[in-house]
């Protein structure tokens, strides 16, 4: 931790520390003077230390709305039921620092350290542009004799990524997250190097104010420091009641990914400074403030094996099988390794402990190895042939990192391809999932997608777990899928580089599969949102003899190859949509694409100008706002109907 190279995730550290606290409460005789619970922050390990004029506390954490409510109850009780306002601020995942200004001039910057003494990082903080070296003069008002502001030094996600990218190139150890990178940057002895790290600073409170104008509330402070030339976080909110606090926490938990920096929760403070004083502090934390932590996005786990999967385009993707672990609110048991170079870069092997990260909907990834396995498991070897069919593999283009199985009739490619063809965003054949597809292929009845349309009831009845009703339903679903618009068919065909959006653009532009087939690469390249790579992929697809045969069979089966005129228009043009909560069967990106493809617009916050709020499972504060403003709310099934119309 002191070297900013932790071997477990923060949430695991927090959980262990909590457990230790409980144990120490239960068995006081076992308390150790050097227990980590006696420390607020990290040990100072640089020569120059600074004694804080006023102790820098750390905050107590809460992990659920219930725990947060319990804190509120303690506050209300502590104030004997007096009315209380709160300020909710995003908890920036950075490094706490205290900045001292004497008569308006920046003279000292220190980290929190153990709360009583910190490290002198003045020289490094001077390089941070959002740290004013002089306060702004307001009229004729004199500067406070001493002003010590406190806040968070942090690094933007973009700068963090660039820093790690360049460290990868030079073979330096990667930082696990922006906070570690910030901490490491603040400790550099050469401030010129710090300057290149583009650190940022948000003020959130003050420690000392001598000889300045009196400040009565936290909110007043946040407003005033802006006039002094500081940045305070623009998302902060004054909450008249606790409902607002809850809504703020919920809303930001949902949209934390939209920020350009990492936040790990919300800090809630009692607004009135006199009330703060009355509430006071425990040994470790103030009673008037608390942190509400979002579910952790990083966790550590053990790699059980590295497997190679074959995708529908034949690309080989290594995947790490993991000991199941909770991360970002869900249990994770595998993580993608992207390609074979990535394995080499991470130096990962079966048996290693790794740090994982999962942000939003994104597939979990391995950040780094934190502990190499001590046992001698054979290192991972790049396969020489396709693990599914034993066929030849090759890099598709020179310089490309991906390997691809070259066998056009590779069973695994057909399997993944058919599952995609039948998937919801494509031909939407209900009941044609992985289980049915694997069996149909094993029976040898399907050699291309069109064969699906020639399946008979008696064949389906031979499949495992298929009875009259299930077989009948699947046949009905197959029949129904013949009427899907062209865009879905084009997407379902699984042409390289042609996703849902591109398929929709092509279907609208050309109207029929025949016209798309005849289109020259130049014509396609010239369409906005399309490009040379896509145009090439389409040309290559239609050149294949197997494609010509496939299209002939699809037409013979009666599959629609035309984009309905209504869909070629922009049915949702000018309509503004807001999404909240989880939509069954769709990721947020997919749902948003469905709207934009139809000319609609997706906006992030609800206003009177919003036309529709699509509310999925556990909708956030946007739902309440839509109700309040009388904006039309759509259930997931109503949204689906609208899209299909
Ligand atoms: Zn293969």
């Amino acid at each position: 931790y002191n070297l900013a190279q932790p071997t477990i995730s923060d949430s695991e550290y927090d959980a262990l520390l909590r457990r230790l606290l409980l144990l120490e409460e239960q068995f006081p005789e076992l308390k150790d003077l050097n227990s980590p619970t006696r420390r607020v922050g990290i040990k100072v390990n640089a020569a120059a230390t600074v004694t804080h004029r006023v102790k820098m506390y750390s905050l107590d954490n809460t992990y659920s709305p219930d725990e947060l409510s319990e804190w509120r109850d303690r506050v209300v009780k502590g104030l004997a039921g007096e009315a209380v306002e709160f300020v909710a601020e995003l908890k920036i995942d950075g490094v706490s620092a205290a900045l001292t200004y004497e008569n308006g001039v920046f003279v000292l910057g220190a980290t929190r350290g153990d709360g009583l003494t910190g490290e002198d990082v003045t020289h490094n903080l001077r390089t941070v542009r959002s740290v004013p070296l002089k306060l702004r003069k307001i009229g004729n008002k004199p500067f406070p004799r001493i002003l010590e502001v406190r806040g968070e030094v942090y690094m933007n996600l973009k700068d963090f990524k660039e820093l790690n990218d360049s460290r990868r190139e030079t073979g330096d150890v990667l930082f696990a997250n922006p906070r570690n990178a910030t901490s490491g940057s603040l400790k550099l002895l050469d401030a010129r190097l710090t300057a290149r790290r583009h650190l940022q600073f948000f003020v959130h409170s003050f420690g000392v104010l001598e000889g300045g104008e009196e400040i009565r509330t936290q909110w007043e402070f946040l407003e005033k420091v802006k006039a002094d030339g500081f940045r305070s976080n623009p998302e902060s909110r004054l909450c008249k009641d606790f409902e607002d606090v809850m809504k703020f926490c919920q809303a930001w938990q949902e949209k934390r990914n939209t920020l350009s920096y990492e936040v790990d929760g919300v800090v809630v403070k009692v607004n009135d400074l006199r009330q703060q004083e009355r509430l006071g502090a425990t040994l470790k934390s103030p009673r008037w403030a608390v942190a509400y932590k979002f579910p952790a996005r990083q966790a550590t786990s053990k790699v059980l094996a590295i497997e190679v999967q074959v995708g529908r385009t034949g690309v080989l993707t290594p995947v790490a099988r993991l000991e199941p672990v909770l991360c970002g609110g869900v249990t994770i048991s595998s993580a993608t390794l992207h390609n074979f170079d990535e394995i080499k870069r991470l130096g990962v092997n079966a048996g290693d402990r790794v740090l994982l990260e999962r942000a939003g909907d994104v597939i979990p990834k391995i950040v780094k190895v934190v502990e190499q396995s001590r046992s001698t498991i054979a290192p991972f070897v790049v396969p020489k042939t396709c693990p599914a069919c034993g066929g030849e593999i090759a890099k598709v283009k020179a310089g490309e990192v991906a390997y691809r199985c070259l066998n056009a009739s590779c069973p695994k490619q057909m399997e993944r391809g058919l599952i995609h063809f039948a998937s919801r965003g494509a031909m939407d054949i209900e009941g044609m999932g992985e289980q049915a597809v694997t069996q149909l292929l094993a029976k040898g009845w399907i050699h291309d997608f069109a064969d699906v349309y020639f399946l008979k009831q008696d064949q389906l009845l031979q499949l495992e777990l298929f009875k009259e009703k299930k077989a009948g339903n699947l046949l009905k679903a197959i029949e129904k899928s013949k009427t899907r618009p062209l865009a879905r068919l084009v997407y379902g065909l699984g042409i390289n580089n042609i996703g849902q959006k591109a398929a929709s653009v092509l279907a609208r532009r050309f109207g029929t599969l025949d016209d798309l087939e005849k289109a020259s690469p130049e014509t396609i390249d010239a369409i906005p949102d399309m490009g040379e790579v896509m145009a090439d992929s389409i040309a290559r697809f239609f050149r294949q003899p197997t494609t010509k045969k496939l299209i002939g069979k699809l037409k013979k089966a009666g599959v629609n190859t035309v984009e309905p005129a209504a869909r070629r228009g922009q049915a949702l043009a000018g309509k503004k949509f807001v999404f909240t909560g989880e939509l069954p069967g769709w990721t947020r990106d997919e749902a948003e694409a469905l709207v934009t493809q139809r000319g609609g617009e997706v906006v992030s916050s609800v206003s009177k100008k919003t036309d529709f709020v699509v509310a999925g499972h556990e909708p956030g504060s946007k739902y309440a706002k839509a109700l309040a403003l009388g904006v039309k709310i759509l259930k997931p099934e109503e949204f689906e109907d609208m899209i299909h119309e």
Side-chain angles (χ1 to χ4, degrees), residues 310 314 316 386-393 405-407 409-413:
V310 184
L316 308 189
C386 171
C389 69
E392 196 184 334
I393 61 170
C405 167
L406 299 178
N407 175 6
S409 51
C410 173
K412 202 71 191 175
Q413 287 183 48

Side-chain angles (χ1 to χ4, degrees), residues 585-615:
W586 280 318
T587 66
R588 183 63 63 84
D589 284 348
E590 284 166 358
E592 291 187 1
L594 290 171
V595 169
T596 49
Q597 281 158 18
R598 287 159 180 76
E601 191 187 341
V602 178
V603 291
S604 59
S605 62
V606 181
S607 74
K608 279 183 182 157
K609 287 180 187 158
T610 311
D611 293 288
F612 301 103
V613 169
V614 184

Side-chain angles (χ1 to χ4, degrees), residues 9 11-12 295-301 322-333 353 356-358 364:
S9 71
S11 63
E12 286 161 321
R297 301 208 275 203
Q298 291 192 329
T300 58
S301 180
L322 303 163
E323 254 171 23
V325 63
L326 198 65
C327 184
V330 298
T331 302
I332 286 174
S333 54
R353 277 201 84 74
L356 300 162
E357 185 172 271
R358 180 181 176 273

